[in-house]
Amino acid sequence: MTTNPGRKPGEDEMPKQKSKRALRKRVRLTGAGRLRRYHAYKRHILTKKHPKRKRRLRKPTLVSKGDEHRIKRLLMV
């Protein structure tokens, strides 16, 4: 808190950090603490993609180990 007269409480403190809400909608935390995401390239121009590829793109996957730490910092997990 502040000891300066004439200042409101909390005025000289830093604002709270906010998590990235857009990323929160795209990534879920698993029970083991890993991050689950969905595949890209499944929205349009599907006629030229092979059925096997489209089937694989349907299923979720885990975020890579290299990106996991960075994404968890953005989510503030």
Side-chain angles (χ1 to χ4, degrees), residues 24-73:
R24 175 96 44 203
K25 294 169 191 170
R26 289 162 174 77
V27 175
R28 293 278 165 90
L29 201 63
T30 64
R34 301 287 312 268
L35 293 168
R36 190 183 73 181
R37 67 169 178 88
Y38 285 96
H39 286 281
Y41 307 111
K42 183 71 171 73
R43 295 291 177 199
H44 57 89
I45 316 174
L46 298 173
T47 52
K48 62 173 80 170
K49 292 174 184 141
H50 199 273
K52 184 177 180 181
R53 181 179 172 193
K54 290 188 277 190
R55 227 177 7 254
R56 280 196 314 256
L57 291 172
R58 260 186 241 148
K59 298 185 170 124
T61 187
L62 295 175
V63 171
S64 67
K65 280 282 195 185
D67 293 330
E68 197 171 310
H69 177 68
R70 184 171 52 88
I71 291 176
K72 281 185 176 182
R73 271 186 54 212

